[in-house]
Amino acid sequence: MGWLGKKDRLQLIAFQAYGTDTHFYTRGRALEDESIDLSEKGFLNLLTNTWKRFETDEVKNADIRLTLSDGRTLKGKTDKNGYYKIDTAIENLEDLANEEGWLTYELSYASSDLRREILNQNRFPGEMLIPSATAKFGVASDIDDTILHTGVVSSFKWRVILNTFFKAAEKRKALEGAADFYHLLHRGKSAKEANPIFYVSHSPWNLYRYLDMFLTNNNFPKGPILLRSFSDFRNRNRGEKPQKQKEIVNLLKTYPNLPFILIGDSGEHDADIYMEITDAFPNRILAIYLRSVSHKRKMKRIYALIKNYKSTPILVVEKSEDAIEHAKMHGFI
C-alpha cells in the first residue's frame, strides 16, 4: 500500500538466473511498485528508497505466466513472501539465447483479479544465462569485500546493508582493477570465450537491484546475482551449509563439464568453503583467489590454512595486478 492509502501498481522482478539447453530455472519476486529510483540524489531520497527496499509489500500466492521469445509459456506461483521460482525441464533453450548465452523472456500476472490493478502494465522483462559453447570455465565470485569494499569482517556483511542507507549505488566504488580482471576472465585466453561470471553473496534479495546497479556502473561483466532471503538468516539450521556454498555446488552440478574459478575474500569463511568444495569436486576447481583484508588475525589464519594446500592453486590477492599475472601464468587469460 502506498503513502496516504494510495494503492501502488504491481510489479514482477526477475532475478537473473542460469540454466541449460534442457533446464529452465529462474526466480524473482512479486511486489507492489514502490517507485524506487536508484538514481535519485539527496540524503532524504536515499533513506526513503532504502526503506522501501526493506519494507516491501509482497504479492502473495499469485499465479504468474512466463513467455519465452518463441511463444512457449511456463507457469509459476508466488509464495507467502512474494517469491516465485520456476524450475522445469524444457527442450531447445539454446536456440533462444544470444552469443553470450543470454535468453530473454517476459513475465506477467495470470490472475484476472490482479490484472486490473496493474493498469496497462503487465509485461515484465527477465533474462536467464545458458553458458556459451565457447566457454572454457565459469567464475563464481563473492561480492562483499571481494569486488565491493565494505571494510567489515562479518559473515552477515551488515555493513553492506548499512551502506545502502548512506551511499547510493553509483557512489560505491569497486576494488581497484577488479572489473578489468573479471573482463579478462570472461573473455578467456582466446579473448572470445564468453566464460560465465556468477556473483554470489550473503546479502538479501532486497539488495538485488542495488547490487546490479553497482556492477553495471563499475563495468563488471554481466552475470547472475545469487543472494538469499531474510528468512535464511533466521531459519538456518545448525550444521547446515551456508547458502553461498549451496549455490556454488549447484553451479558445479548444473554444469558438470565446466571447471570453475572461485573468488572470495580472506575475512571470514570463503577459504574454508572453497577448499571444501574443491575437495568434494576433484579437478573441477582451477584456482581460488582470496582478496586480503585489513585484519591481522584473520590473515594469519588464512595463511596457516592454505600453507600446505595442494588440491588447487590458491592466491591471496593484495592487488588485482597479482591476480591477473597469476591467471596469465596458468593460461586462464
Side-chain angles (χ1 to χ4, degrees), residues 82-151:
Y83 289 102
Y84 66 84
K85 179 169 66 173
I86 297 176
D87 185 357
T88 188
I90 184 170
E91 299 294 326
N92 302 321
L93 291 174
E94 280 183 337
D95 295 342
L96 308 181
N98 65 19
E99 61 183 12
E100 286 278 317
W102 288 100
L103 173 156
T104 61
Y105 57 85
E106 277 191 354
L107 291 163
S108 60
Y109 284 97
S111 305
S112 58
D113 59 330
L114 289 176
R115 286 199 196 111
R116 63 175 177 266
E117 298 181 18
I118 306 167
L119 301 179
N120 295 320
Q121 174 60 32
N122 191 22
R123 298 171 65 184
F124 305 91
E127 293 181 296
M128 186 187 80
L129 178 65
I130 303 174
S132 170
T134 62
K136 302 299 183 185
F137 57 83
V139 176
S141 171
D142 185 27
I143 297 176
D144 320 315
D145 279 325
T146 302
I147 57 178
L148 170 61
H149 179 67
T150 64

Side-chain angles (χ1 to χ4, degrees), residues 277-295:
I277 290 171
T278 300
D279 293 339
F281 292 85
N283 304 316
R284 293 290 308 283
I285 307 304
L286 298 177
I288 296 172
Y289 294 100
L290 299 169
R291 283 274 183 182
S292 63
V293 296
S294 299
H295 194 294

